[in-house]
Amino acid sequence: MSLRQVAILGSTGSIGVNTLDVIRVHPDRFKVTALTAAKQIDRLAEQCIEFKPAIAVVASAEGAAELSQLLRDKNISTHVLYGSDALVTAVTESGCDTVMAAIVGAAGLVPTLAAAHAGKRVLLANKEALVMSGDLFMQAMKQGGGELLPIDSEHNAIFQCLPERFTKSPSDHFGVEELWLTASGGPFRDVSIGDLASITPEQACAHPNWVMGRKISVDSATMMNKGLEVIEAFWLFGLALEKIKILIHPQSVVHSMVRYRDGSVLAQMGQPDMRTPIAYGLAWPERIHAGVAPLGLAQLANLSFSEPNLTQFPCLGLAFAAARAGGTSPTILNAANEIAVGAFLDEGLPYLRISEVVERTLSALPSVAADSIELILSVDAQARQVARHVIEGLK
Ligand code: NAD
Ligand code: MG
C-alpha cells in the first residue's frame, strides 16, 4: 500500500474538516501536502501544526502574514502563500497525487480544473465547478488521465451502484435505465410557500439531517442544491437529463439509486455522514474505516419516498430549465444563485426572493456555447453583476 499524498482545497470548511478526520486515523495511508482556506486563519494554523503540509494558502496578504507568524512560533516550516493563483500552486507544486476539491462555489473552479489537467485523483465535492464547466471539466479529466471520484453523497452513492466498467465508458450504458437522486427536502419540506416569507438565515441553515456549510445549507432549503446535483449527475455519468430523477426521502438513509433494465434497483445506504463518501474516495477501490456509526436499519421506523413539488421549490424548476438550455445557462444559474444566497445570508434579502433573482438573471442574459474557460469566467462575472443589480432594484 503506497502513501497517498493529499491536497485539500477548502480544508477549514465542513468537507475539509471531515476529510482531515478520516485522514487523521490513517497516518499509514495518507499524507497531507497542502491545506487552503479563505479566512479562518486560526483553524488553518491548527491544521498546519497537526498535519505539517508543504504548502498552505489563504486569500489575503494579511492572512498569510498572520498564518506565517503563528507557524513560526511553533517551528512549522509550511510554505505560506496567498491569492487565487496560489490555489493552483497548492495543486501542482505540493507533491500531491490526490486533490480534495472542497472550496465552496465558483472560487473552486480554476484550481479544481488544474487538478484535472494535471492527472490527479480528483475528489469532487465542489459541485459548482462541474455545473459551471461540465463539458470542459470532463474533457480535462480525460486528457489528464486521473480518476474522478464524486464526493457529493448522492453521486458517490450512484458511483457505488454502477458497474466499474460503466465509469470507464459512460457512452455504453450497461443496462442502466435511470438514476434516482434522493433529497431530504430540507428544513421546509412540509412548509407551505406562503409561510416562507419571513424565514431567517438561521432557520434556513438548520438542516434536519446534515451538518454543512451555510451556502449549501441554504441551497438545500431552496432545493437549488438538488437542481445543481442533477446537472452534476448529467456530466459525471453521461446519461440523458430525462433519465435523472429526484425522489424526496426525508430520512436521508438511502443516498441514491440506480434502476437497471432488468428491473433491479441498486441503492447505497448509510448514515448521513460525509466521512463515508470521503473515505470511499480517498481509499478507492479499497474500503477503510471512516469513523462512522453503523447503520441500524431495525431502529428506523420507515423509509419513505415521494415526488418533489416544483411549485413549492421554484429553484428546482429553474435548474432543470437551465440544464435543458445547456451552454452557459448553468453558469448563469450558479452565479446568480451564489449572489442571491450571499445576499440572503448577509444583507437581508428575503428568502423568497432568491429564486426571483436567479430567474431574472437567467432571463436577462443569453445562453451561448460554453467552449472556453475564459468565456465561462466572464459569463460568471457578468451574471454576478446582473444579479447584484436585480437585488439593488428589489431593495
Ligand atoms: P464551507 O463553507 O463549510 O467551506 C468552504 C471552504 O472553502 C472553507 O475552507 C473556506 O475557507 C473555503 N473558501 C470559501 N470561499 C473561498 C474563496 N473565495 N477562495 C478560497 N477558498 C474559499 O463549505 P462546505 O459545506 O464544506 O462545502 C464545500 C463544497 O462541498 C461545496 O461546493 C458544497 O456544495 C460541497 N458539498 C458539501 C457537502 C457538505 O456536507 N458540507 C456535501 C456535498 C457537497
Ligand atoms: Mg448532495
Side-chain angles (χ1 to χ4, degrees), residues 12 37 39-49 58 63 66-67 70-71:
T12 56
K39 292 183 267 204
Q40 292 160 293
I41 307 298
D42 288 340
R43 181 177 272 188
L44 183 60
E46 282 167 25
Q47 293 178 343
C48 289
I49 291 163
V58 296
E66 194 184 330
L67 180 63
L70 290 169
L71 297 186

Side-chain angles (χ1 to χ4, degrees), residues 36-290:
T36 86
K39 292 183 267 204
Q40 292 160 293
I41 307 298
D42 288 340
R43 181 177 272 188
L44 183 60
E46 282 167 25
Q47 293 178 343
C48 289
I49 291 163
E50 180 179 356
F51 292 97
K52 303 182 180 59
I55 296 179
V57 180
V58 296
S60 70
E62 302 76 55
E66 194 184 330
L67 180 63
S68 297
Q69 186 59 53
L70 290 169
L71 297 186
R72 248 194 317 273
D73 291 348
K74 298 278 181 188
N75 282 324
I76 301 291
S77 60
T78 296
H79 196 43
V80 178
L81 303 171
Y82 66 91
S84 45
D85 289 349
L87 294 171
V88 174
T89 309
V91 166
T92 55
E93 309 291 327
S94 69
C96 66
D97 49 42
T98 301
V99 175
M100 168 54 83
I103 289 176
V104 59
L109 173 59
V110 171
T112 305
L113 205 55
H117 278 299
K120 310 290 182 190
R121 172 180 291 195
V122 178
L123 309 183
L124 187 73
N126 181 204
K127 68 192 85 183
E128 295 92 342
L130 198 60
V131 167
M132 291 172 74
S133 70
D135 198 11
L136 291 175
F137 184 84
M138 295 307 284
Q139 281 178 38
M141 280 304 312
K142 208 165 175 185
Q143 281 158 13
E147 295 145 346
L148 176 57
L149 287 147
I151 297 302
D152 213 350
S153 55
E154 298 75 4
H155 306 73
N156 188 270
I158 288 169
F159 186 91
Q160 294 195 43
C161 296
L162 289 172
E164 204 211 321
R165 292 169 302 156
F166 179 95
T167 54
K168 293 210 174 103
S169 166
S171 52
D172 187 352
H173 287 139
F174 296 102
V176 172
E177 290 280 356
E178 280 180 343
L179 308 179
W180 294 348
L181 296 176
T182 52
S184 69
F188 310 137
R189 186 185 70 242
D190 298 322
V191 180
S192 73
I193 197 157
D195 293 333
L196 292 175
S198 58
I199 287 301
T200 64
E202 283 57 44
Q203 289 170 306
C205 289
H207 196 281
N209 305 343
W210 298 91
V211 180
M212 310 180 285
R214 280 159 69 81
K215 192 259 178 185
I216 185 178
S217 296
V218 177
D219 285 350
S220 298
T222 62
M223 284 196 76
M224 179 60 93
N225 184 49
K226 211 50 55 180
L228 298 177
E229 288 183 357
V230 167
I231 302 173
E232 185 184 11
F234 171 76
W235 289 114
L236 283 172
F237 304 117
L239 256 79
L241 269 177
E242 311 78 68
K243 297 193 166 209
I244 305 172
K245 301 276 160 63
I246 296 172
L247 276 178
I248 301 288
H249 167 51
Q251 298 82 13
S252 297
V253 167
V254 174
H255 295 311
S256 279
M257 298 178 254
V258 177
R259 182 171 76 77
Y260 285 87
R261 192 179 287 158
D262 62 4
S264 301
V265 174
L266 299 194
Q268 186 261 355
M269 295 191 273
Q271 298 281 2
D273 188 324
M274 289 307 291
R275 289 175 299 177
T276 296
I278 290 168
Y280 181 87
L282 280 168
W284 183 84
E286 292 177 57
R287 299 236 181 208
I288 57 173
H289 283 289

